[in-house]
Amino acid sequence: MNILVIGSGGREHTIVWKMAQSSLVDKIFCAPGNAGIAELAECLEVETDNLSGLLEIARHNSIDCTIVGPEVPLSLGIVDLFEDNGYPIFGPRRKAAEIESSKVFAKQIMNKYHIPTARSQDFEDYYEALSYLEKQSFPLVIKADGLAAGKGVIITKDRFEAELALGKIMKERKFGEAGRRVLIEEFLTGEEVSMLVFSDGRNILPMITSQDHKKIGDNDEGLNTGGMGAYSPVPFFGEKEREFVLTRIFQPVISSLEREGRLFKGVLYAGLIITKEGPKVLEFNARFGDPETQVILPGLKTDLMEIILSSINGTLDRVNPVWSKQFTVCVIMTSEGYPGEYVSGKTITGLEKLNEREDIIVFHSGTKKDDGKTVTSGGRVLGITAWSDTLKGAIDKAYQGVDEIYFEGCYYRKDIGKKGLHFLRNAN
Ligand code: AMP
Ligand code: GLY
């Protein structure tokens, strides 16, 4: 089969790496890809929001199956376009992808079908939202309804901050049309866990759990980022929690989307928070997470392509995936300045030293080739990923990998996986 992967991050590098191991795959294309992906796939310079350009690639290269990484093409309806033109594609159609692209819609579904989540109220009118604040206690979470590249969620500690946030989202339209509506939501406390499932529209197939590290600084301090690292599985998320999340969250959401005429095929990702009252949903994503995918897919022993085809064909109930029992850890290395304005074009050294290692892999995000050298070209640059029988072993190995790599101004968190380790130490 000829495969097309859409995207250019560590998530897409991981997907391409799995595809390269599949006995069902002959040739891999990626649009637009990066320097790491280019070693496994033919990269084509078409951006992820250029839907007609992507369809043209599928036509020109006789693509048998397309896999969509990021949310933007899903929200624009890439799956509708490809399916309507007879090209098989893995992901939800636009109306199903609204579970991610409209937080108000996701909340309506959760409220209608009694799925545990934070209490909230949505507003289209700025002044109504302002007056609602008068009767609330703080902290409160203010969320832009639409896609905002992970920046549309603002946690406010008092009314003044909440008014500023509403102004920024609804009046200044800092996130454009995404801020036409807002959700004002109760603030929840607890550990966060990411859980992802494959879905064929009816059946679900859970993946192993993982934990992202969203803040730029150690001990979860500083600004939010796209994700500074992850580990899998999460030791404090046991069988009981997993069962609860599958039966009380994923199954009802998948069935309700079908009932609402929005059959969900693809990967459904729940950002969960484990509160004293049990797990609750913070958000849904309609795709693989990044960096979560970099720690989930290395543990998948079953052919990913087989699962994807079963999801497209509606036969996921016949697949019985095998997962490794090992722990996987991914440490993200970023460019100087990230998550603000960052520096690019720095030469990366040390990559070849890790090529020989079977238990460490470097997934690329913002990298490109320049005059034969690999240089930085984005905020998040590399995901150094390692696995081992113990979480401690996987953490140590990932950081050994980090030590081999250098580019000017590189930065990474030193505490990826620490929460899991802490839990395991206290449990023993
Ligand atoms: P979201 O994009 O909705 O997952 O929000 C991004 C991040 O904001 C989450 O990973 C949480 O850390 C935080 N967050 C979102 N909603 C809430 C909430 N209701 N209570 C506390 N933190 C939240
Ligand atoms: N890791 C967060 C996301 O993929 O949205």
Side-chain angles (χ1 to χ4, degrees):
M1 296 177 85
N2 289 344
I3 303 298
L4 169 63
V5 176
I6 294 174
S8 62
R11 164 183 53 208
E12 288 77 14
H13 190 179
T14 315
I15 295 169
V16 165
W17 175 72
K18 286 306 276 188
M19 288 294 125
Q21 295 162 21
S22 168
S23 59
L24 301 166
V25 173
D26 299 306
K27 175 141 198 205
I28 311 167
F29 295 84
C30 186
N34 60 39
I37 292 175
E39 291 180 14
L40 301 168
E42 182 175 335
C43 292
L44 300 161
E45 277 182 39
V46 173
E47 286 308 319
T48 56
D49 58 356
N50 177 358
L51 302 197
S52 54
L54 293 168
L55 184 63
E56 200 40 50
I57 293 182
R59 283 209 174 101
H60 191 75
N61 298 288
S62 310
I63 297 295
D64 300 297
C65 184
T66 299
I67 302 160
V68 189
E71 61 276 20
V72 169
L74 294 171
S75 74
L76 294 173
I78 188 165
V79 174
D80 310 53
L81 180 72
F82 272 54
E83 282 184 351
D84 296 348
N85 281 278
Y87 288 90
I89 182 164
F90 179 64
R93 288 172 77 92
R94 191 180 59 75
K95 278 185 73 181
E98 264 185 40
I99 194 88
E100 171 168 10
S101 63
S102 168
K103 290 185 191 292
V104 172
F105 170 69
K107 211 54 145 187
Q108 282 164 356
I109 289 279
M110 287 190 271
N111 290 339
K112 188 165 166 190
Y113 296 95
H114 311 290
I115 288 155
T117 184
R119 277 190 308 274
S120 70
Q121 190 78 45
D122 59 271
F123 296 93
E124 256 184 66
D125 185 88
Y126 169 67
Y127 296 98
E128 275 180 30
L130 272 186
S131 66
Y132 175 80
L133 293 180
E134 287 168 23
K135 296 171 237 90
Q136 301 307 308
S137 50
F138 287 86
L140 267 186
V141 187
I142 316 261
K143 299 184 172 183
D145 174 45
L147 294 180
K151 299 196 178 79
V153 174
I154 306 176
I155 295 169
T156 62
K157 65 175 186 307
D158 53 34
R159 201 166 131 194
F160 175 70
E161 281 190 8
E163 286 178 3
L164 279 182
L166 283 179
K168 188 170 155 184
I169 298 174
M170 297 188 93
K171 290 210 74 105
E172 294 165 39
R173 288 290 171 95
K174 275 265 153 62
F175 312 113
E177 269 301 286
R180 201 173 58 76
R181 292 192 291 185
V182 292
L183 266 186
I184 302 184
E185 191 170 289
E186 163 199 20
F187 178 79
L188 299 175
T189 50
E191 274 305 320
E192 289 183 45
V193 173
S194 303
M195 182 138 175
L196 286 69
V197 301
F198 295 99
S199 169
D200 64 5
R202 290 193 183 104
N203 306 292
I204 57 172
L205 211 62
M207 301 185 214
I208 44 179
T209 54
S210 58
Q211 189 174 40
D212 190 4
H213 296 63
K214 288 207 163 90
K215 301 280 194 232
I216 186 75
D218 286 5
N219 301 316
D220 296 332
E221 282 175 12
L223 296 174
N224 251 331
T225 70
M228 294 299 292
Y231 68 93
S232 172
V234 181
F236 48 82
F237 194 86
E239 201 41 53
K240 194 175 96 230
E241 287 85 3
R242 193 180 128 97
E243 201 48 39
F244 178 88
V245 168
L246 290 177
T247 54
R248 290 289 316 281
I249 295 174
F250 280 107
Q251 271 150 4
V253 168
I254 292 293
S255 318
S256 57
L257 286 172
E258 183 185 9
R259 214 168 305 142
E260 307 262 336
R262 300 172 189 249
L263 197 78
F264 189 99
K265 288 188 178 201
V267 171
L268 183 61
Y269 159 153
L272 303 165
I273 187 160
I274 319 300
T275 70
K276 287 206 183 80
E277 294 156 22
K280 294 189 180 181
V281 177
L282 290 179
E283 65 164 346
F284 282 114
N285 294 319
R287 51 169 174 83
F288 281 111
D290 199 355
E292 288 92 333
T293 304
Q294 301 184 53
V295 293
I296 294 173
L297 290 186
L300 177 63
K301 300 294 159 209
T302 307
D303 189 332
L304 176 62
M305 197 59 216
E306 184 192 328
I307 300 181
I308 286 177
L309 290 175
S310 304
S311 162
I312 293 174
N313 298 332
T315 54
L316 263 189
D317 52 332
R318 293 188 214 151
V319 186
N320 211 346
V322 178
W323 295 93
S324 147
K325 298 258 179 291
Q326 291 190 304
F327 286 92
T328 304
V329 172
C330 168
V331 179
I332 302 287
M333 298 181 80
T334 62
S335 294
E336 185 174 1
Y338 179 80
E341 260 184 51
Y342 53 80
V343 182
S344 285
K346 302 293 177 192
T347 302
I348 305 170
T349 57
L351 288 168
E352 63 294 339
K353 288 194 212 145
L354 297 177
N355 280 347
E356 307 301 311
R357 297 281 301 244
E358 297 237 320
D359 50 357
I360 302 184
I361 176 148
V362 180
F363 293 121
H364 291 226
S365 305
T367 68
K368 63 174 189 186
K369 282 282 182 199
D370 187 15
D371 229 0
K373 288 182 299 199
T374 306
V375 301
T376 65
S377 67
R380 291 194 287 176
V381 177
L382 300 168
I384 318 301
T385 305
W387 43 93
S388 175
D389 290 341
T390 62
L391 179 56
K392 169 90 170 58
I395 294 171
D396 289 347
K397 242 185 244 177
Y399 281 105
Q400 280 165 25
V402 169
D403 286 342
E404 298 289 352
I405 307 254
Y406 178 76
F407 52 91
E408 196 187 316
C410 69
Y411 169 83
Y412 55 90
R413 270 179 69 159
K414 317 283 185 298
D415 64 344
I416 303 301
K418 202 166 148 188
K419 281 184 203 161
L421 213 51
H422 190 73
F423 173 85
L424 287 171
R425 283 201 182 118
N426 286 344
N428 285 329

